[in-house]
Amino acid sequence: MEPVDRDFHHPYQPYDIQKTFMTALYECIEEGKVGIFESPTGMFQAESKVASTQLIFVQARDEQRKAFLSVNDQENAECEDDLDSEPEWILEYARGQRAQAVTQKKLDVEARLTRARNKELRQTRRYENGEPQSKRIKAHHDQMPSDVEMETRYLLGDYDSDSGATEAKAKTATGLLSETNLELLEKLGMNVKPSDEQGDLQPIDERKIYYCSRTHSQLTQFVNEVRRVKIPPAFGTNTASKTLEEEIKHLSLGSRRNLCINQRVSNLGSAIAINERCLELQQSGVSPEHKCTFLPTKENQVLVNEFRDYTLAQIRDIEDLGKLGKRVGICPYYASRATIKPSEIITLPYPLLLQKSAREALDISLKGHVVIIDEAHNLMDAISNISSITVSSTQLKCARAQLGLYLQRFRNKLKGKNRVYVTQVVRLLDSLSAYMEGKARQSKVLEGVISIGDLMAGKGVDQINLYKLMHYLQESKLARKVEGYIIHTAENQSQPVEAHTSTTPVLTHIQGFFQTLTNPAAEGRFFFSRAEDNDMCIKYMLLDPTYHFREIVDDARAVILAGGTMSPMEDYIRHLLGYLEPERLKLLSCGHVIPDGNLAAWPVTKGPSNIDFDFTYEKRDLVAMMEELGNCLIELARIIPDGMVVFFPSYAYLQQVVSRWQAASLGSSTSIWDRISKYKTVFRESKGNSAVDDVLRDYANAIDTGKGALLLSVVGGKMSEGINFSDKLGRGVIVVGLPFPNIQSVEWKSKLEYIENASVSRGNTKAEGKNEARDFYENACMRAVNQCIGRAIRHQKDYASIILLDRRYDTARIADKLPGWIKQRLVRHASDKPFAEVIRRLVEFFKVDRGL
């Protein structure tokens, strides 16, 4: 079959590689497949992101056109059956009228958005101070609730497990939401109940692209590219006087932490604290003057519609939505729900897509829509992290103390099932605390696997029905009421609360841990560990992300996993999508747009003194190994111009090596650190989030002085993801050793054991199962390496050297796990070549005149 030459409306002339990428992605969506796409980072995240956006909307508009033609043909056929005796011109007129009606509806929507766009331009100056014009209820910030109001707000309502279950069943149609949220969603015109008052835009449920990435900054980059997209409308017009211009309808979704405009709530800082305070202010017992004045209500529905129109009238990122909410005077977190259906593309971070509870809370349906997950090399880890949770002994004690204070005030007012279930919560907390205290006394034991039976060994705990208890906690909102009462008590200073209050609601966190006790035993494990401060912790870790992601794959029309470093791809096929038939998958690994001469990729197996580079755990601490590494970097710093970035396997090893370099070297009066600094100014990444921007700024400034700079970083650290070391910032990228996870940790032992057993259960031999587990372990390491080396070479004219310091990089098993565009340029059999040959070839590489 001849390939179809599609017009993707690219703003530039795309490279052949980009055309291949766009065509494959289009076909994947068209055929309803699950795609795994690897494209060199700079390509996909810059120009290819524009191209991908173009083709996505071409596809979406094509879908609208096909759906219209299909329905129109059916209606025409039915109409013509009724009018089979009429002349052809009457039939043609009827067809035209139906087509014109659909087009007119589109014109009306676009005209409405144009009016909103023009109105916003006129009102910009009037809204410069961010104050809404609408009158709002004055909030009495300093007035404390009365005792009657406090009791109404914090006392548990009557609960009957049988009737409660029936009521809950009715609620699950829209997820496990609070009664207040369900009422609020109904007021906003969501699908809680059918409504005829949803506004002109709401019934149009457009074909959607859900575009998901790891951080809001990455989503903002994508939104900036979307602004450049110009796509023809789905339908033309039949009249010369009307031209249908359809702008892309985009919505950024975010958490309350990103969108809350109530300063009393947003200033709490913690995401959990913000969520809980927001929900607390919506409870029925809260008086009007203490409720959040920005919440959508039936009375301010006009503001919700205004917010919706403004949102769709322009392409906005998450910060723009927050500003718009302040200007209109409506909560952007809740008001954005009314914008979901008419949107064509929705950008959202990982947690809002990957958590079923988050999708339900946002009323997101993926049925028939397209899901694109960027930076998908993180996907399996992200699913595991979202579904895993850790609680400490201190948190358990804090929750128990908070519950004790609550019971002092309300014990005599609790009735029936409330008494039973609150007692069960107390017993479960005591059982977990008793287990932790027992482990704390075993001072020589640092970590281990826990049997769920050991956690549930407390008095009466084996009689608890965890499913009923979790249902009770969801329906009664016990955690929210307890924590609300604790905050009220602390603010009122009527009772001593010691250290039992926290910006992160601890009982809500522990309720999340309780939920994991109901998970299938096969898909996760419980572990205990001793923290640095000697506090004991219990962790639940998800071992199998398949089930959690399968719900997304089953619902969506097509799912695309895309990224610059998706290699090795076997992990996604085996451990995330193993239930799919091979024909449902579409794989693509693109080459790079750079000429072959713009990349020098070397596995360096020996140092200047001919010492083998072997950074295994047993040998990397040798003084001779660390000094050989230093001498190697001295030579590389002398040859490689501008900026060099060196990635170490861990912060601990980086510190150890730096300490060695700063000490006097054997047989030399000058330290290695000083000798490196002679050629380049040395900078170092610190652990944590502090000063990353400052370090990068100083690093870039040092390069601009002409001396050059060397940045010591860590695999998996802040510099290894999301930072682009293009052009002078990354003429050399060096990776020291292989950053294998600690295979002796109980978590990794359990993970590899699970993979081995799962392989055997599929009919493989024990040896094949062990090899599959080994592959997974090596792939985890190489994905991290690939992320680091993908920081360099961001565009067609860029050039850099990639140096892999370890003899193992010269083995086929490791080298084959590199991205294809690097692997095809990698020097093979490097162990046969001395270090002097590496230096000679690098000198030649950087002498080439590339006409820049």
Side-chain angles (χ1 to χ4, degrees):
M1 177 184 282
E2 288 293 322
V4 179
D5 187 14
R6 294 185 176 86
D7 180 7
F8 292 119
H9 305 274
H10 198 288
Y12 312 112
Q13 179 61 41
Y15 304 118
D16 289 340
I17 292 174
Q18 289 177 318
K19 290 180 180 178
T20 300
F21 180 90
M22 290 187 290
T23 300
L25 183 52
Y26 185 95
E27 291 172 351
C28 186
I29 296 173
E30 182 79 10
E31 296 164 6
K33 292 187 175 184
V34 176
I36 304 175
F37 289 75
E38 180 180 62
S39 180
T41 309
M43 252 186 65
F44 185 79
Q45 291 188 348
E47 294 170 347
S48 277
K49 194 165 279 190
V50 181
S52 303
T53 307
Q54 300 281 0
L55 72 93
I56 288 166
F57 286 109
V58 170
Q59 200 276 342
R61 296 277 165 89
D62 279 354
E63 287 294 332
Q64 293 180 34
R65 191 178 297 109
K66 289 175 184 176
F68 164 68
L69 293 174
S70 176
V71 172
N72 200 39
D73 288 345
Q74 182 179 353
E75 289 180 351
N76 285 339
E78 293 173 354
C79 179
E80 289 171 14
D81 287 342
D82 295 336
L83 301 174
D84 56 359
S85 60
E86 299 296 334
E88 178 61 28
W89 68 270
I90 292 182
L91 296 177
E92 188 63 32
Y93 176 79
R95 296 187 198 108
Q97 286 294 102
R98 282 189 293 276
Q100 188 172 347
V102 173
T103 304
Q104 185 61 48
K105 190 172 184 179
K106 283 281 184 180
L107 282 168
D108 291 344
V109 170
E110 294 305 320
R112 179 171 177 170
L113 296 183
T114 299
R115 288 195 298 272
R117 201 175 294 121
N118 293 336
K119 182 179 178 182
E120 184 174 12
L121 288 174
R122 291 194 304 269
Q123 294 179 341
T124 297
R125 292 181 181 176
R126 293 163 53 191
Y127 286 119
E128 281 181 344
N129 295 327
E131 292 294 332
Q133 287 188 335
S134 56
K135 294 181 180 179
R136 313 210 57 82
I137 301 171
K138 185 178 179 181
H140 302 282
H141 302 312
D142 299 324
Q143 181 182 345
M144 295 302 297
S146 64
D147 288 342
V148 174
E149 183 186 340
M150 183 187 69
E151 186 167 305
T152 304
R153 187 188 301 186
Y154 301 125
L155 180 62
L156 292 167
D158 292 342
Y159 180 85
D160 181 87
S161 58
D162 295 329
S163 63
T166 304
E167 292 166 5
K169 187 175 181 180
K171 290 180 180 180
T172 54
T174 52
L176 293 173
L177 304 177
S178 70
E179 183 178 348
T180 307
N181 277 351
L182 290 172
E183 293 172 357
L184 181 59
L185 289 173
E186 185 177 347
K187 291 175 184 176
L188 287 172
M190 301 297 143
N191 287 335
V192 179
K193 295 179 182 177
S195 173
D196 296 327
E197 301 176 359
Q198 296 180 337
D200 295 339
L201 293 177
Q202 193 67 19
I204 305 174
D205 192 4
E206 302 284 8
R207 172 79 69 187
K208 281 182 236 318
I209 308 294
Y210 286 93
Y211 185 93
C212 175
S213 195
R214 189 169 56 91
T215 65
H216 280 294
S217 62
Q218 291 166 339
L219 292 172
T220 297
Q221 291 175 16
F222 178 72
V223 170
N224 290 334
E225 302 298 343
V226 173
R227 290 190 174 110
R228 300 158 64 182
V229 173
K230 298 297 179 185
I231 294 293
F235 312 107
T237 59
N238 294 329
T239 60
S241 60
K242 292 182 179 180
T243 302
L244 177 57
E245 295 183 359
E246 275 190 87
E247 297 290 337
I248 291 174
K249 300 173 186 65
H250 165 262
L251 171 66
S252 292
L253 287 178
S255 64
R256 287 183 179 88
R257 186 175 187 178
N258 298 113
L259 291 174
C260 179
I261 59 175
N262 185 334
Q263 287 191 347
R264 288 185 300 155
V265 178
S266 61
N267 287 343
L268 294 174
S270 160
I272 298 177
I274 291 172
N275 288 343
E276 291 304 308
R277 181 61 65 88
C278 174
L279 294 172
E280 180 191 337
L281 294 177
Q282 298 173 50
Q283 292 183 40
S284 57
V286 179
S287 61
E289 64 267 21
H290 288 99
K291 286 184 178 291
C292 177
T293 59
F294 298 106
L295 275 174
T297 64
K298 190 172 293 185
E299 289 73 24
N300 62 17
Q301 180 67 35
V302 64
L303 295 181
V304 175
N305 293 338
E306 188 177 359
F307 178 88
R308 176 197 62 198
D309 291 350
Y310 280 143
T311 300
L312 294 177
Q314 291 187 18
I315 295 173
R316 305 173 190 270
D317 62 21
I318 199 71
E319 291 184 0
D320 294 332
L321 277 194
K323 295 174 183 176
L324 178 62
K326 289 180 180 179
R327 200 167 64 193
V328 174
I330 199 73
C331 171
Y333 176 77
Y334 281 109
S336 61
R337 306 300 182 271
T339 315
I340 290 177
K341 279 193 174 182
S343 297
E344 290 178 307
I345 184 165
I346 295 176
T347 52
L348 66 173
Y350 275 2
L352 297 188
L353 176 75
L354 300 179
Q355 279 183 297
K356 183 178 181 180
S357 59
R359 297 196 302 273
E360 290 174 340
L362 294 171
D363 198 31
I364 288 177
S365 170
L366 303 178
K367 199 72 175 176
H369 300 303
V370 176
V371 174
I372 296 182
I373 301 177
D374 196 8
E375 296 291 337
H377 66 277
N378 287 309
L379 182 58
M380 288 189 290
D381 289 340
I383 297 172
S384 179
N385 292 338
I386 287 170
S387 303
S388 302
I389 189 169
T390 300
V391 295
S392 67
S393 180
T394 300
Q395 287 175 319
L396 289 171
K397 291 174 182 176
C398 177
R400 182 66 174 84
Q402 289 184 354
L403 200 53
L405 288 173
Y406 180 83
L407 290 174
Q408 286 179 18
R409 177 65 175 81
F410 295 108
R411 185 191 305 273
N412 294 333
K413 296 182 181 295
L414 298 182
K415 300 176 182 178
K417 293 294 183 179
N418 280 322
R419 277 181 175 268
V420 173
Y421 284 118
V422 171
T423 300
Q424 289 182 1
V425 173
V426 170
R427 286 181 174 177
L428 192 51
L429 286 171
D430 289 345
S431 182
L432 295 174
S433 292
Y435 177 84
M436 303 272 264
E437 290 169 3
K439 288 298 179 183
R441 289 191 291 269
Q442 301 173 9
S443 57
K444 294 183 179 180
V445 180
L446 299 180
E447 60 179 7
V449 181
I450 304 173
S451 164
I452 192 171
D454 293 338
L455 295 177
M456 307 274 294
K459 180 181 178 182
V461 176
D462 60 338
Q463 302 299 315
I464 296 175
N465 184 321
L466 288 172
Y467 297 96
K468 283 189 174 183
L469 178 61
M470 291 310 304
H471 178 257
Y472 168 79
L473 292 174
Q474 290 279 2
E475 291 297 308
S476 68
K477 306 297 181 287
L478 172 65
R480 190 175 304 144
K481 289 180 180 293
V482 169
E483 286 154 352
Y485 172 71
I486 294 298
I487 292 172
H488 161 78
T489 303
E491 291 174 348
N492 201 32
Q493 296 183 351
S494 59
Q495 296 184 32
V497 293
E498 301 174 1
H500 302 320
T501 59
S502 169
T503 55
T504 301
V506 65
L507 196 54
T508 299
H509 179 73
I510 290 175
Q511 180 179 326
F513 181 80
F514 286 172
Q515 183 68 57
T516 65
L517 297 173
T518 66
N519 289 353
E523 69 177 34
R525 294 284 187 279
F526 291 93
F527 307 95
F528 70 86
S529 62
R530 193 182 300 271
E532 292 180 0
D533 59 0
N534 213 36
D535 197 12
M536 297 301 299
C537 298
I538 302 176
K539 178 178 181 178
Y540 172 80
M541 186 177 81
L542 182 72
L543 298 177
D544 187 357
T546 302
Y547 171 77
H548 295 261
F549 192 64
R550 183 169 185 170
E551 294 176 333
I552 294 174
V553 174
D554 289 346
D555 278 352
R557 173 197 172 98
V559 177
I560 311 295
L561 311 184
T565 51
M566 297 298 290
S567 296
M569 292 186 182
E570 308 92 74
D571 280 359
Y572 307 98
I573 299 170
R574 289 177 182 170
H575 308 299
L576 189 65
L577 305 166
Y579 55 90
L580 292 178
E581 296 296 328
E583 55 269 20
R584 179 83 196 280
L585 293 169
K586 191 176 188 70
L587 310 180
L588 177 69
S589 180
C590 289
H592 209 296
V593 295
I594 60 168
D596 286 346
N598 281 24
L599 172 65
W602 275 78
V604 177
T605 63
K606 300 177 187 294
S609 303
N610 210 34
I611 295 176
D612 285 341
F613 277 139
D614 185 351
F615 292 97
T616 54
Y617 189 76
E618 295 80 13
K619 295 185 178 181
R620 68 183 188 182
D621 294 341
L622 297 174
V623 171
M625 187 68 65
M626 291 186 282
E627 294 200 346
E628 187 76 348
L629 171 61
N631 291 327
C632 171
L633 291 183
I634 291 170
E635 293 300 312
L636 294 176
R638 185 173 58 85
I639 299 302
I640 298 175
D642 304 318
M644 285 173 53
V645 187
V646 183
F647 290 98
F648 285 76
S650 68
Y651 286 102
Y653 189 59
L654 172 58
Q655 176 59 48
Q656 184 179 357
V657 169
V658 168
S659 298
R660 179 64 251 168
W661 289 350
Q662 290 176 338
S665 300
L666 297 176
S668 174
S669 59
T670 308
S671 69
I672 290 175
W673 184 270
D674 290 338
R675 281 185 281 156
I676 294 175
S677 301
K678 176 182 176 182
Y679 296 105
K680 293 190 184 295
T681 305
V682 183
F683 298 89
R684 179 178 166 188
E685 176 184 354
S686 59
K687 193 171 185 178
N689 298 324
S690 60
V692 171
D693 292 338
D694 293 339
V695 171
L696 286 174
R697 183 188 63 248
D698 294 342
Y699 171 71
N701 290 339
I703 293 172
D704 289 339
T705 64
K707 179 180 180 181
L710 186 148
L711 177 59
L712 303 177
S713 307
V714 174
V715 177
K718 287 291 180 181
M719 305 294 182
S720 67
E721 289 197 43
I723 306 295
N724 297 337
F725 293 105
S726 59
D727 300 317
K728 290 184 177 182
L729 295 178
R731 292 303 183 208
V733 175
I734 296 99
V735 181
V736 178
L738 284 94
F740 281 109
N742 181 7
I743 200 171
Q744 297 303 320
S745 72
V746 292
E747 293 180 11
W748 265 99
K749 282 182 178 179
S750 297
K751 182 69 176 178
L752 297 179
E753 179 186 358
Y754 176 84
I755 291 171
E756 183 179 332
N757 292 339
S759 177
V760 172
S761 70
R762 295 194 300 269
N764 294 324
T765 65
K766 187 81 170 175
E768 289 171 330
K770 285 184 177 296
N771 191 58
E772 194 170 309
R774 180 186 176 188
D775 264 339
F776 183 86
Y777 181 63
E778 290 175 347
N779 291 347
C781 167
M782 289 307 296
R783 270 197 302 274
V785 170
N786 293 342
Q787 269 297 293
C788 294
I789 58 183
R791 300 302 91 209
I793 305 191
R794 312 297 294 185
H795 56 84
Q796 185 188 28
K797 295 183 178 180
D798 205 354
Y799 63 96
S801 58
I802 294 175
I803 311 296
L804 306 172
L805 300 180
D806 198 293
R807 60 174 179 77
R808 291 169 290 179
Y809 284 114
D810 198 36
T811 63
R813 186 176 181 94
I814 296 298
D816 287 346
K817 298 179 187 295
L818 292 166
W821 66 277
I822 294 177
K823 185 166 52 180
Q824 69 188 27
R825 298 173 172 91
L826 186 72
V827 174
R828 298 288 182 160
H829 309 295
S831 58
D832 299 335
K833 300 174 177 63
F835 183 77
E837 176 69 7
V838 177
I839 296 299
R840 185 185 68 79
R841 296 279 290 273
L842 282 176
V843 170
E844 293 176 356
F845 176 79
F846 286 110
K847 277 185 176 179
V848 173
D849 182 6
R850 294 178 173 85
L852 300 181

